[in-house]
Amino acid sequence: MGRLVLPVVVTLLALSAVRWADPDALRVDGFWPLAAVALVTSVGAAATLRLLRLVLTHVPPWISGLLATVVAFALLTSLTDGPGLAAVIGGIVMALVLLVSLLRGGGRALRAEPFPPDVLGVARLAARFAVPLLWYLAAVELVPGVQSAQRWPGALLGGLVAGGTLVMGTALAWTRPWHASVTSVPVDGGLQVAYGGIGHLVGVGDPRAGRQLRVMGSAGVLVELAGLLPSPIPDRILPYLDRLTPGLVRAVCVVETPQRVLLASAGYGEAVHLWDPATGAAVHALAGHRGSVNALCPVPAGDTVLLASGGDDRGIRFWEPETGRQLRAVGREVRPSVRALCTLSVGGQLLLAAGYADGVVRLWDPVRLRLVGQLGVQRGGVNALCAVTVDGAVRLASAAGDGTVVLWDPATGESLGSYDDGAPRYALCAVEMDGEVLLAAAGDGVGVTLWDPARTARRGSLGTGSVIGMLLDSTGWIRSMCQLGTGDDAFLMLAGYDRAVQQIRLRPALRSLAETEKNS
C-alpha cells in the first residue's frame, strides 16, 4: 500500500496543475472529487499493470509476448475513433519484425518469445501510457462532482508513467556492462569460452585464435531494421546504439547431461534458454520465473544433471535439461532475491549454496528441499560464490557488494578469513596453476585480486593499470570471470564493461607476480 502513496500524490499534483492551467480541461466541484479522480486513476492503473504482469507470467512466454504486443497497440488504437496511426505503425512494425526474424533464421531466434525483446519493450511502454489514460477516463465518469473532462489530461498522466519508465530504462541501458557472464564450455573436444551480453546474445569464442565462433540469442531487431536504411551515423557510434536493446544475459553455465553438453543462459528476460554450443541451435526455453534470472548452476542428481536457476522472484527452480520440465522448487519462503548459486559437497552430502541480496549465504539440500545452514551476513548483498578445496577440505568463498571476500567452512558456518577490497565485488573464481589454488576476485575498481585460501593472505593483483586508463577504455568494472584451460594454455577470462571479453595468460602473469613478491 505504501507504494501507492507516491503515485497518488504525483497524480493529484498533475491534475491540480491541469485544472489551474486550463479549467475547462477538468471541471471538478471542490478538492475531494479531484482527489478521488487521482486515487481511482492511480490505484486502478497500478492494479491493472500488476494484474497484467501476473497473468502474462503464468502463461508460456510466446503467449505473453503476443498478448503484450497486441494489447498495447489495441489500447493505443482505442484512443481514436478509427484504426488510427498507432495501429498502422504497430502493424507495420510487427510485420517487419516477423519478416526479419524469418530471414534471419531460427538458429538465433529465442523460441520463448515470438517477438524480440526490443519490440516487447515498446509494447510494455505503450501499455504504461495507455492504462493510466483509460483509468483516468473511467474515473471522471465514475466520481461524483466531475462535470466534464478532456482526454489530454489522461494522456499527460500516461506520459508521466511511460516517460519515467523510458528515462530510467535508458539510463540503465547506458550504464550496464557489455558482458555480465562468462564460462568455459567444451566444444568439439576442446575448451572454448561462452559469454553473455547486452540484448539477449550469447557468444562462443576461441580465445587462442582471438575470434568469435558463433552467436546465439536475439539481438535488437529494431536496430537491425534501422541498419537496412542509409544512415549518416558514423560506424563507431552505431555499436553503442545496441546498448538500448532491452535485456542482459546475467548468467551462463554448462550442463553436461549423459546425452550431450548444453549451454544455459538467462538474464533480464524471464526465461532460461538452453543451447547446443557446438551448433548454436536452440534446444529449450524454460518458462516459470516471474522476474529477472540472476544465477544458474548445474546440480548432479544420481545418473543425470539438473539445472538450478534463481533470481528476483522467490525460490530456486530445478529443471530437467533434456525435457525442459520444471521438477521442483526450494526457498520460496525467502524474500530477498537470489544473486549467486554454487554446488559443494559437505561430509558426502551435496548442497546448493545460494547468495542473497540480504547478504546471507543459505545452504539448501536440493534433494530433501530444506534449508540446512546459513553463513554470516555481508553488506551490499552476496554477488558471487565459489567452492574451493583447501588441504583436502571443501571451503566456500563469497564476494559481496561491500567489497569483502569471505572464506567459510560450510560444515560449521565459521568464517576462516576475509579481506576487503574497498569496492563492490561481483566476480569470483578459483585459479589453479601447478598444484596451487588461489581465489581471484574482481568488480568495480582496477585489477583482479588474488588471495591464497590456504594461508588466508593476499598474493597480489593482475591486470592493474591507471584509474584514468580504466575510465577511458572501460577495462575495469568486471562482472564475471573464469579460468579456461590448464598449464601453458590457461587463461583468466574477464567479462564486464569492456566491449571485448578480456583474457590474461595465467602462467606468465603468475610468474611475474612471484618474481615481484620475491624481489620485495
Side-chain angles (χ1 to χ4, degrees):
M1 184 60 70
R3 296 181 179 179
L4 290 177
V5 174
L6 182 59
V8 171
V9 171
V10 172
T11 303
L12 181 59
L13 292 176
L15 292 179
S16 299
V18 166
R19 190 183 180 200
W20 174 79
D22 185 0
D24 291 332
L26 180 60
R27 297 180 181 178
V28 180
D29 294 335
F31 171 79
W32 292 112
L34 183 66
V37 170
L39 181 64
V40 172
T41 301
S42 302
V43 174
T48 301
L49 290 172
R50 176 63 176 170
L51 180 61
L52 285 174
R53 178 174 177 81
L54 288 176
V55 170
L56 295 180
T57 53
H58 275 82
V59 298
W62 70 271
I63 295 180
S64 67
L66 182 62
L67 289 178
T69 306
V70 171
V71 168
F73 286 114
L75 288 173
L76 286 179
T77 305
S78 67
L79 301 180
T80 63
D81 296 330
L85 183 61
V88 174
I89 295 176
I92 293 174
V93 169
M94 285 189 287
L96 288 175
V97 166
L98 290 175
L99 177 61
V100 171
S101 297
L102 291 174
L103 293 176
R104 189 172 52 184
R108 290 181 56 190
L110 289 181
R111 286 169 34 176
E113 297 169 321
F115 299 105
D118 50 1
V119 177
L120 293 180
V122 172
R124 293 185 180 112
L125 191 68
R128 288 183 176 272
F129 166 79
V131 168
L133 187 151
L134 295 177
W135 269 101
Y136 164 79
L137 296 178
V140 297
E141 294 294 331
L142 296 174
V143 176
V146 182
Q147 294 153 349
S148 66
Q150 299 176 9
R151 290 182 177 178
W152 72 264
L156 174 64
L157 296 177
L160 291 175
V161 176
T165 303
L166 181 62
V167 170
M168 292 179 61
T170 303
L172 290 174
W174 283 104
T175 57
R176 65 186 173 180
W178 286 101
H179 302 94
S181 52
V182 63
T183 190
S184 61
V185 55
V187 178
D188 298 331
L191 279 179
Q192 308 294 354
V193 61
Y195 41 88
I198 57 175
H200 285 262
L201 295 180
V202 179
V204 176
D206 185 350
R208 303 161 192 83
R211 64 188 180 93
Q212 184 170 270
L213 301 178
R214 63 189 57 87
V215 177
M216 301 165 285
S218 175
V221 168
L222 293 183
V223 176
E224 291 182 359
L225 289 174
L228 298 176
L229 303 175
S231 174
I233 302 177
D235 292 338
R236 290 187 300 174
I237 298 178
L238 282 175
Y240 290 91
L241 296 180
D242 292 337
R243 296 183 68 92
L244 296 176
T245 302
L248 176 69
V249 177
R250 300 201 61 182
V252 292
C253 82
V254 173
V255 184
E256 298 189 51
T257 71
Q259 291 79 19
R260 53 182 166 172
V261 174
L262 297 175
L263 180 65
S265 67
Y268 286 160
E270 295 171 354
V272 178
H273 298 277
L274 289 171
W275 312 93
D276 184 340
T279 63
V283 177
H284 288 299
L286 313 179
H289 280 282
R290 304 176 191 175
S292 300
V293 181
N294 304 322
L296 298 170
C297 179
V299 179
D303 58 353
T304 187
V305 177
L306 303 181
L307 175 64
S309 61
D312 290 344
D313 60 348
R314 297 183 186 181
I316 300 167
R317 301 169 190 268
F318 295 90
W319 310 86
E320 192 175 65
E322 287 296 337
T323 64
R325 292 190 303 119
Q326 180 178 318
L327 300 180
R328 52 185 179 267
V330 65
R332 288 178 174 170
E333 68 277 9
V334 181
R335 295 187 63 86
S337 60
V338 177
R339 294 184 178 178
L341 292 173
C342 174
T343 56
L344 65 160
S345 179
V346 179
Q349 180 185 12
L350 179 70
L351 297 179
L352 179 64
Y356 286 83
D358 61 354
V360 177
V361 177
R362 293 174 173 86
L363 302 178
W364 299 95
D365 184 335
V367 177
R368 295 181 176 86
L369 303 180
R370 61 187 181 89
L371 181 68
V372 297
Q374 294 189 172
L375 306 177
V377 177
Q378 291 172 268
R379 297 189 309 274
V382 176
N383 297 322
L385 295 171
C386 177
V388 59
T389 302
V390 181
D391 297 330
V394 176
R395 306 300 187 214
L396 181 67
S398 62
D402 62 355
T404 61
V405 177
V406 182
L407 185 68
W408 305 94
D409 183 345
T412 64
E414 176 187 2
S415 172
L416 303 176
S418 66
Y419 67 92
D420 188 350
D421 268 342
R425 303 287 91 180
Y426 294 95
L428 188 65
C429 77
V431 173
E432 184 174 357
M433 181 65 65
D434 300 327
E436 183 182 31
V437 178
L438 301 176
L439 275 174
D444 290 350
V446 181
V448 178
T449 301
L450 294 180
W451 197 62
D452 187 341
R455 296 186 299 164
T456 63
R458 287 177 184 262
R459 286 291 304 275
S461 298
L462 301 179
T464 57
S466 68
V467 176
I468 297 298
M470 180 191 68
L471 294 175
L472 291 177
D473 58 17
S474 302
T475 55
W477 321 111
I478 297 166
R479 289 298 176 266
S480 180
M481 61 183 175
C482 72
Q483 179 175 341
L484 176 70
T486 59
D488 292 333
D489 202 26
F491 294 89
L492 184 63
M493 308 302 301
L494 310 173
Y497 280 79
D498 194 287
R499 290 200 65 228
V501 177
Q502 300 173 287
Q503 57 191 62
I504 299 175
R505 279 197 174 269
L506 278 174
R507 189 179 291 281
L510 293 178
R511 282 177 178 172
S512 177
L513 185 62
E515 291 176 0
T516 302
E517 288 180 332
K518 184 177 179 180
N519 295 332
S520 60

